[in-house]
Coordinates of all heavy atoms in Angstrom, one line a residue:
M8 N 28.5 103.9 13.7 CA 29.0 104.8 12.7 C 29.8 105.9 13.4 O 30.8 106.4 12.9 CB 27.9 105.3 11.8 CG 28.5 106.1 10.7 SD 27.2 106.9 9.7 CE 27.0 108.4 10.6
E9 N 29.3 106.4 14.5 CA 29.9 107.5 15.2 C 31.4 107.1 15.6 O 32.3 107.9 15.5 CB 29.2 107.9 16.4 CG 27.9 108.6 16.1 CD 27.1 109.0 17.3 OE1 27.7 109.2 18.3 OE2 25.9 109.2 17.1
F10 N 31.6 105.9 16.0 CA 32.9 105.4 16.3 C 33.8 105.5 15.0 O 34.9 106.0 15.1 CB 32.9 103.9 16.8 CG 34.2 103.3 16.8 CD1 35.1 103.6 17.9 CD2 34.6 102.4 15.9 CE1 36.3 103.0 18.0 CE2 35.9 101.8 15.9 CZ 36.7 102.1 17.0
I11 N 33.3 105.1 13.9 CA 34.1 105.1 12.6 C 34.4 106.5 12.3 O 35.6 106.8 11.9 CB 33.3 104.4 11.5 CG1 33.1 102.9 11.8 CG2 34.0 104.6 10.2 CD1 32.1 102.3 11.0
V12 N 33.5 107.5 12.4 CA 33.8 108.9 12.0 C 34.8 109.5 12.9 O 35.7 110.1 12.5 CB 32.4 109.7 12.1 CG1 32.7 111.2 12.0 CG2 31.5 109.2 11.0
H13 N 34.7 109.2 14.2 CA 35.7 109.7 15.2 C 37.1 109.1 15.1 O 38.1 109.8 15.2 CB 35.2 109.5 16.6 CG 34.0 110.4 17.0 ND1 34.2 111.8 17.1 CD2 32.7 110.2 17.2 CE1 33.0 112.3 17.4 NE2 32.1 111.4 17.4
E14 N 37.1 107.8 14.7 CA 38.4 107.1 14.8 C 39.1 106.9 13.4 O 40.3 106.8 13.4 CB 38.2 105.8 15.4 CG 37.7 105.8 16.9 CD 38.7 106.5 17.8 OE1 39.9 106.4 17.6 OE2 38.2 107.2 18.8
L15 N 38.3 106.9 12.3 CA 38.9 106.5 11.1 C 38.6 107.4 9.9 O 39.5 107.7 9.1 CB 38.3 105.1 10.7 CG 38.6 104.0 11.7 CD1 37.9 102.7 11.4 CD2 40.1 103.7 11.8
Y16 N 37.4 107.8 9.7 CA 37.0 108.6 8.5 C 36.2 109.8 8.9 O 35.3 109.6 9.7 CB 36.2 107.8 7.5 CG 36.8 106.6 7.0 CD1 36.6 105.3 7.5 CD2 37.7 106.6 5.9 CE1 37.1 104.2 7.0 CE2 38.3 105.5 5.4 CZ 38.0 104.3 5.9 OH 38.6 103.2 5.4
E17 N 36.5 110.9 8.4 CA 35.7 112.1 8.7 C 34.7 112.4 7.6 O 33.7 113.1 7.8 CB 36.6 113.3 8.9 CG 37.5 113.2 10.1 CD 38.4 114.5 10.2 OE1 38.3 115.4 9.4 OE2 39.1 114.5 11.2
D18 N 34.9 111.7 6.4 CA 34.1 112.1 5.3 C 32.9 111.2 5.0 O 32.4 111.1 3.9 CB 34.9 112.1 4.0 CG 36.0 113.2 4.1 OD1 35.8 114.1 4.8 OD2 37.0 113.0 3.4
I19 N 32.4 110.4 6.0 CA 31.3 109.6 5.8 C 30.1 110.2 6.6 O 30.3 110.9 7.5 CB 31.5 108.1 6.1 CG1 31.8 107.9 7.6 CG2 32.6 107.6 5.2 CD1 31.8 106.4 7.9
G20 N 28.9 109.7 6.3 CA 27.8 110.2 7.1 C 27.1 111.4 6.5 O 26.5 112.2 7.2
A21 N 27.1 111.5 5.2 CA 26.5 112.7 4.5 C 25.0 112.8 4.9 O 24.5 113.9 5.0 CB 26.6 112.6 3.0
C22 N 24.3 111.7 5.0 CA 22.8 111.8 5.4 C 22.6 111.8 6.9 O 21.5 111.7 7.3 CB 22.1 110.7 4.7 SG 22.3 109.0 5.4
K23 N 23.7 111.8 7.6 CA 23.6 111.8 9.1 C 22.9 110.6 9.7 O 22.1 110.7 10.6 CB 23.0 113.1 9.6 CG 23.7 114.3 9.1 CD 23.7 115.4 10.0 CE 24.4 116.7 9.5 NZ 25.7 116.5 9.0
G24 N 23.1 109.4 9.1 CA 22.6 108.2 9.6 C 21.2 107.8 9.3 O 20.6 107.0 9.9
K25 N 20.7 108.4 8.2 CA 19.3 108.1 7.7 C 19.3 107.0 6.7 O 18.2 106.7 6.1 CB 18.7 109.3 7.2 CG 18.5 110.4 8.3 CD 17.9 111.6 7.8 CE 17.8 112.6 9.0 NZ 17.6 114.0 8.5
A26 N 20.4 106.3 6.4 CA 20.4 105.2 5.4 C 20.1 105.7 4.0 O 19.6 105.0 3.2 CB 19.5 104.1 5.8
W27 N 20.5 106.9 3.6 CA 20.2 107.5 2.3 C 21.4 107.6 1.4 O 21.3 107.5 0.2 CB 19.6 108.9 2.4 CG 18.2 108.9 3.1 CD1 17.4 107.9 3.3 CD2 17.6 110.1 3.6 NE1 16.3 108.4 4.0 CE2 16.4 109.7 4.1 CE3 18.0 111.5 3.6 CZ2 15.5 110.6 4.7 CZ3 17.1 112.3 4.2 CH2 15.9 111.9 4.8
C28 N 22.6 107.9 2.0 CA 23.7 108.3 1.1 C 24.7 107.1 0.7 O 25.3 107.2 -0.3 CB 24.5 109.4 1.8 SG 25.4 108.9 3.3
G29 N 24.8 106.2 1.6 CA 25.7 105.0 1.3 C 27.2 105.3 1.6 O 28.0 104.4 1.3
T30 N 27.5 106.4 2.1 CA 28.9 106.7 2.4 C 29.5 105.9 3.5 O 30.7 105.7 3.6 CB 29.2 108.2 2.7 OG1 28.4 108.6 3.8 CG2 28.8 109.1 1.5
C31 N 28.6 105.3 4.3 CA 29.1 104.5 5.4 C 29.0 103.0 5.1 O 29.0 102.1 5.9 CB 28.3 104.8 6.7 SG 26.5 104.2 6.5
H32 N 28.9 102.7 3.8 CA 28.8 101.4 3.3 C 30.0 100.5 3.7 O 31.1 100.9 3.5 CB 28.6 101.4 1.7 CG 28.6 100.1 1.1 ND1 29.2 99.9 -0.1 CD2 28.0 98.9 1.5 CE1 29.0 98.6 -0.5 NE2 28.3 98.0 0.5
G33 N 29.7 99.4 4.2 CA 30.8 98.5 4.6 C 30.5 97.0 4.3 O 29.3 96.7 4.1
A34 N 31.5 96.2 4.3 CA 31.4 94.8 4.1 C 31.7 94.1 5.5 O 32.6 94.4 6.1 CB 32.4 94.3 3.1
I35 N 30.8 93.2 5.8 CA 31.0 92.4 7.0 C 32.0 91.2 6.7 O 31.7 90.4 5.8 CB 29.7 91.8 7.5 CG1 28.8 93.0 7.9 CG2 29.9 90.9 8.7 CD1 27.3 92.6 8.1
V36 N 33.1 91.2 7.3 CA 34.1 90.2 7.1 C 33.9 89.0 8.0 O 34.1 87.9 7.6 CB 35.5 90.8 7.3 CG1 36.6 89.7 7.1 CG2 35.8 92.0 6.3
Q37 N 33.5 89.3 9.2 CA 33.2 88.2 10.2 C 32.1 88.7 11.2 O 32.1 89.8 11.6 CB 34.5 88.0 11.0 CG 34.4 86.9 12.1 CD 35.7 86.7 12.8 OE1 36.8 86.7 12.2 NE2 35.6 86.7 14.1
G38 N 31.2 87.8 11.5 CA 30.2 88.1 12.5 C 28.8 88.5 11.9 O 28.1 89.1 12.6
V39 N 28.5 88.1 10.7 CA 27.3 88.6 10.1 C 26.0 88.2 10.8 O 25.1 88.9 10.8 CB 27.2 88.1 8.6 CG1 27.1 86.6 8.5 CG2 26.1 88.8 7.9
N40 N 26.1 87.1 11.5 CA 24.9 86.6 12.2 C 24.6 87.3 13.5 O 23.6 87.1 14.1 CB 25.1 85.1 12.5 CG 25.0 84.3 11.3 OD1 24.4 84.6 10.3 ND2 25.8 83.2 11.3
H41 N 25.4 88.3 13.9 CA 25.2 89.0 15.1 C 24.5 90.3 15.0 O 24.3 91.0 15.9 CB 26.6 89.3 15.8 CG 27.4 88.1 16.0 ND1 26.9 87.0 16.8 CD2 28.6 87.7 15.6 CE1 27.9 86.1 16.9 NE2 28.9 86.4 16.1
I42 N 24.1 90.7 13.7 CA 23.5 92.0 13.5 C 22.0 91.8 13.1 O 21.6 90.8 12.5 CB 24.2 92.6 12.3 CG1 25.7 92.8 12.6 CG2 23.6 94.0 12.0 CD1 26.5 93.4 11.5
E43 N 21.2 92.7 13.6 CA 19.8 92.7 13.3 C 19.5 92.8 11.8 O 20.4 93.2 11.0 CB 19.1 93.9 14.0 CG 19.2 93.8 15.5 CD 18.5 95.0 16.1 OE1 17.7 95.7 15.4 OE2 18.7 95.3 17.3
D44 N 18.4 92.4 11.4 CA 18.0 92.4 10.0 C 17.9 93.9 9.5 O 17.8 94.8 10.2 CB 16.6 91.8 9.8 CG 16.6 90.3 10.1 OD1 17.7 89.7 10.0 OD2 15.5 89.8 10.4
M45 N 18.0 94.0 8.1 CA 18.0 95.3 7.5 C 16.6 95.9 7.5 O 15.6 95.2 7.3 CB 18.5 95.2 6.0 CG 19.9 95.0 5.8 SD 20.3 95.1 4.1 CE 21.4 93.7 4.0
S46 N 16.6 97.2 7.5 CA 15.3 97.9 7.3 C 15.1 98.0 5.8 O 16.0 97.8 5.0 CB 15.4 99.3 7.9 OG 16.3 100.1 7.2
D47 N 13.9 98.4 5.4 CA 13.6 98.6 4.0 C 14.5 99.7 3.4 O 14.9 99.6 2.3 CB 12.1 98.9 3.8 CG 11.2 97.7 4.0 OD1 11.8 96.6 4.1 OD2 10.0 97.9 4.2
G48 N 14.7 100.8 4.2 CA 15.5 101.9 3.8 C 16.9 101.5 3.5 O 17.5 101.9 2.5
E49 N 17.5 100.7 4.4 CA 18.9 100.3 4.2 C 19.0 99.4 3.0 O 19.9 99.5 2.2 CB 19.4 99.5 5.4 CG 20.8 99.1 5.3 CD 21.3 98.3 6.5 OE1 20.6 98.1 7.5 OE2 22.6 98.0 6.5
L50 N 18.1 98.5 2.8 CA 18.1 97.6 1.7 C 18.0 98.4 0.4 O 18.8 98.1 -0.6 CB 16.9 96.6 1.8 CG 16.9 95.5 0.7 CD1 18.1 94.7 0.7 CD2 15.6 94.6 0.9
K51 N 17.2 99.4 0.3 CA 17.0 100.2 -0.9 C 18.3 100.9 -1.2 O 18.7 100.9 -2.4 CB 15.9 101.2 -0.7 CG 15.6 102.0 -1.9 CD 14.3 102.9 -1.7 CE 14.1 103.7 -2.9 NZ 12.9 104.6 -2.7
T52 N 18.9 101.5 -0.2 CA 20.2 102.2 -0.5 C 21.3 101.3 -0.9 O 22.0 101.6 -1.9 CB 20.6 103.0 0.8 OG1 19.6 104.0 1.1 CG2 22.0 103.7 0.6
L53 N 21.4 100.1 -0.3 CA 22.4 99.2 -0.6 C 22.2 98.7 -2.1 O 23.2 98.4 -2.8 CB 22.4 98.0 0.3 CG 23.1 98.3 1.7 CD1 22.9 97.1 2.6 CD2 24.6 98.6 1.5
Q54 N 21.0 98.5 -2.5 CA 20.8 98.1 -3.9 C 21.3 99.1 -4.9 O 21.7 98.7 -6.0 CB 19.3 97.9 -4.1 CG 18.7 96.6 -3.4 CD 17.2 96.5 -3.4 OE1 16.5 97.5 -3.6 NE2 16.7 95.3 -3.2
G55 N 21.4 100.3 -4.5 CA 21.9 101.4 -5.4 C 23.5 101.5 -5.3 O 24.0 102.1 -6.3
V56 N 24.1 101.0 -4.3 CA 25.5 101.3 -4.2 C 26.4 100.0 -4.1 O 27.6 100.1 -4.2 CB 25.9 102.1 -2.9 CG1 25.2 103.5 -3.0 CG2 25.5 101.4 -1.6
S57 N 25.8 98.9 -4.0 CA 26.6 97.7 -3.6 C 26.4 96.5 -4.5 O 25.2 96.1 -4.8 CB 26.3 97.3 -2.2 OG 27.1 96.1 -1.9
T58 N 27.5 95.8 -4.9 CA 27.4 94.5 -5.4 C 28.2 93.6 -4.5 O 28.5 92.4 -4.8 CB 28.0 94.5 -6.8 OG1 29.4 95.0 -6.8 CG2 27.2 95.3 -7.8
V59 N 28.6 94.1 -3.3 CA 29.4 93.4 -2.4 C 28.5 92.5 -1.5 O 27.5 93.0 -0.9 CB 30.2 94.3 -1.5 CG1 31.0 93.5 -0.4 CG2 31.1 95.2 -2.3
P60 N 28.7 91.2 -1.5 CA 27.9 90.4 -0.6 C 28.1 90.7 0.9 O 29.2 91.1 1.3 CB 28.3 88.9 -0.9 CG 29.7 89.1 -1.6 CD 29.7 90.4 -2.2
Q61 N 27.1 90.5 1.7 CA 27.2 90.7 3.2 C 27.6 92.2 3.5 O 28.4 92.5 4.4 CB 28.2 89.8 3.8 CG 27.8 88.3 3.7 CD 28.6 87.4 4.5 OE1 29.5 87.8 5.2 NE2 28.4 86.2 4.4
S62 N 27.1 93.1 2.7 CA 27.4 94.5 3.0 C 26.2 95.1 3.8 O 25.1 94.7 3.7 CB 27.7 95.3 1.7 OG 26.6 95.4 0.9
R63 N 26.6 96.2 4.6 CA 25.6 96.9 5.4 C 26.0 98.4 5.4 O 27.1 98.7 5.1 CB 25.6 96.3 6.8 CG 25.2 94.9 7.0 CD 23.7 94.7 6.7 NE 22.9 95.5 7.5 CZ 22.2 95.0 8.6 NH1 22.3 93.7 8.9 NH2 21.4 95.8 9.3
L64 N 25.1 99.1 6.0 CA 25.4 100.5 6.2 C 25.7 100.7 7.7 O 24.9 100.3 8.6 CB 24.1 101.4 5.9 CG 23.7 101.4 4.5 CD1 22.4 102.2 4.3 CD2 24.8 101.9 3.5
A65 N 26.9 101.2 8.0 CA 27.4 101.3 9.4 C 26.4 102.1 10.2 O 26.2 101.8 11.4 CB 28.8 101.9 9.4
C66 N 25.7 103.1 9.6 CA 24.8 103.9 10.4 C 23.6 103.2 10.9 O 22.9 103.7 11.8 CB 24.4 105.1 9.6 SG 23.4 104.8 8.2
Q67 N 23.4 102.0 10.4 CA 22.2 101.2 10.8 C 22.5 100.1 11.8 O 21.7 99.3 12.2 CB 21.5 100.6 9.6 CG 21.1 101.7 8.5 CD 20.2 102.7 9.2 OE1 19.1 102.4 9.6 NE2 20.6 104.0 9.2
I68 N 23.8 100.0 12.2 CA 24.2 99.0 13.1 C 24.5 99.6 14.5 O 25.4 100.5 14.6 CB 25.5 98.3 12.6 CG1 25.2 97.6 11.3 CG2 26.0 97.3 13.6 CD1 26.4 97.1 10.5
M69 N 23.7 99.3 15.5 CA 23.9 99.8 16.8 C 25.1 99.1 17.5 O 25.3 97.9 17.3 CB 22.7 99.6 17.6 CG 21.5 100.3 17.1 SD 21.7 102.1 17.1 CE 21.8 102.5 15.4
L70 N 25.9 99.8 18.2 CA 27.1 99.3 18.9 C 26.6 98.6 20.1 O 26.3 99.2 21.1 CB 28.1 100.4 19.2 CG 29.5 100.0 19.5 CD1 30.1 99.1 18.3 CD2 30.4 101.2 19.7
E71 N 26.6 97.2 20.1 CA 26.1 96.5 21.2 C 27.0 95.3 21.6 O 27.9 95.0 20.7 CB 24.7 95.9 20.9 CG 23.7 97.0 20.6 CD 22.3 96.4 20.1 OE1 22.3 95.3 19.5 OE2 21.3 97.1 20.3
D72 N 26.9 94.7 22.7 CA 27.8 93.7 23.2 C 27.8 92.5 22.2 O 28.8 91.9 22.0 CB 27.3 93.2 24.5 CG 27.6 94.2 25.6 OD1 28.4 95.1 25.4 OD2 27.1 94.0 26.7
N73 N 26.7 92.2 21.5 CA 26.7 91.0 20.7 C 27.5 91.2 19.4 O 27.7 90.3 18.6 CB 25.2 90.6 20.3 CG 24.5 91.7 19.5 OD1 25.0 92.9 19.5 ND2 23.5 91.3 18.8
L74 N 28.1 92.4 19.2 CA 28.9 92.6 18.0 C 30.4 92.4 18.3 O 31.3 92.5 17.5 CB 28.8 94.1 17.5 CG 27.4 94.5 17.1 CD1 27.4 96.0 16.7 CD2 26.8 93.6 16.1
D75 N 30.7 92.0 19.6 CA 32.0 91.7 20.0 C 32.7 90.7 19.1 O 32.1 89.6 18.9 CB 32.1 91.3 21.4 CG 33.5 91.2 22.0 OD1 34.4 91.9 21.5 OD2 33.7 90.3 22.9
G76 N 33.8 90.9 18.5 CA 34.5 90.0 17.6 C 34.2 90.2 16.1 O 34.8 89.6 15.3
M77 N 33.2 91.1 15.9 CA 32.8 91.3 14.5 C 33.9 92.1 13.7 O 34.5 93.0 14.3 CB 31.5 92.1 14.4 CG 31.0 92.3 13.1 SD 29.5 93.3 13.2 CE 29.5 94.0 11.6
I78 N 34.1 91.8 12.5 CA 35.1 92.5 11.6 C 34.3 93.1 10.5 O 33.6 92.5 9.8 CB 36.2 91.6 11.1 CG1 37.0 91.1 12.3 CG2 37.1 92.4 10.2 CD1 38.0 90.0 11.9
F79 N 34.5 94.5 10.3 CA 33.7 95.2 9.4 C 34.6 96.1 8.6 O 35.3 96.9 9.1 CB 32.7 96.1 10.2 CG 31.6 96.8 9.4 CD1 30.5 96.1 9.1 CD2 31.7 98.1 9.1 CE1 29.4 96.7 8.4 CE2 30.7 98.8 8.5 CZ 29.6 98.1 8.1
K80 N 34.6 96.0 7.3 CA 35.5 96.8 6.4 C 34.7 97.9 5.7 O 33.7 97.6 5.0 CB 36.1 95.9 5.3 CG 37.0 96.7 4.4 CD 37.6 95.7 3.3 CE 38.4 96.5 2.3 NZ 38.8 95.6 1.2
I81 N 35.1 99.2 6.0 CA 34.4 100.3 5.4 C 34.8 100.4 3.9 O 36.0 100.5 3.6 CB 34.7 101.6 6.1 CG1 34.2 101.5 7.5 CG2 34.0 102.8 5.4 CD1 32.7 101.3 7.7
I82 N 33.9 100.4 3.0 CA 34.2 100.6 1.5 C 33.6 101.8 0.9 O 33.9 102.2 -0.2 CB 33.9 99.3 0.8 CG1 32.4 98.9 1.0 CG2 34.8 98.2 1.1 CD1 32.0 97.6 0.3
G83 N 32.6 102.4 1.6 CA 31.9 103.5 1.0 C 32.7 104.8 1.0 O 32.4 105.7 0.3
A84 N 33.7 104.9 1.8 CA 34.5 106.1 1.9 C 35.7 106.1 0.9 O 36.4 107.1 0.9 CB 35.1 106.3 3.3
D85 N 35.9 105.0 0.1 CA 37.0 105.0 -0.8 C 36.8 106.0 -1.9 O 35.8 106.3 -2.4 CB 37.1 103.6 -1.4 CG 37.6 102.6 -0.4 OD1 38.1 103.0 0.7 OD2 37.4 101.4 -0.6
Ligands
LIG10 S1 25.4 107.8 6.9 FE1 24.3 107.9 5.1 S2 23.8 105.8 4.7 FE2 24.8 105.7 6.5

């Protein structure tokens, strides 16, 4: 999420990465199998903000080598 804030959007991250606000909500376009499972907090927030399949909160995804090639579309900042 820090990469997204620095490079693309300044207006996301209202809860500062605690999975509460949903402003970093995004859809996974490619590479869904490379990300760890959701926490209960992320799942609860997504249930309130999303009807998009394969969506996640960017703040809950750690930037790691196994994400190489993944495509993620931010939709919470619209
Ligand atoms: S920054 Fe608030 S849910 Fe991700």
Side-chain angles (χ1 to χ4, degrees):
M8 187 184 88
E9 290 182 22
F10 169 78
I11 295 166
V12 170
H13 286 290
E14 300 297 326
L15 302 170
Y16 299 100
E17 294 179 358
D18 296 338
I19 67 171
C22 74
K23 305 212 181 309
K25 295 179 181 159
W27 296 344
C28 68
T30 59
C31 68
H32 177 217
I35 298 168
V36 177
Q37 179 179 315
V39 67
N40 292 329
H41 302 302
I42 302 177
E43 293 181 19
D44 292 338
M45 281 187 226
S46 67
D47 290 343
E49 182 179 4
L50 184 58
K51 184 176 178 181
T52 298
L53 283 174
Q54 288 172 339
V56 299
S57 179
T58 56
V59 179
Q61 298 186 5
S62 64
R63 296 292 301 259
L64 298 176
C66 67
Q67 302 303 299
I68 300 171
M69 298 296 111
L70 200 56
E71 298 174 335
D72 289 344
N73 63 342
L74 301 181
D75 189 27
M77 181 180 157
I78 299 172
F79 191 82
K80 178 182 176 187
I81 298 299
I82 52 180
D85 290 341

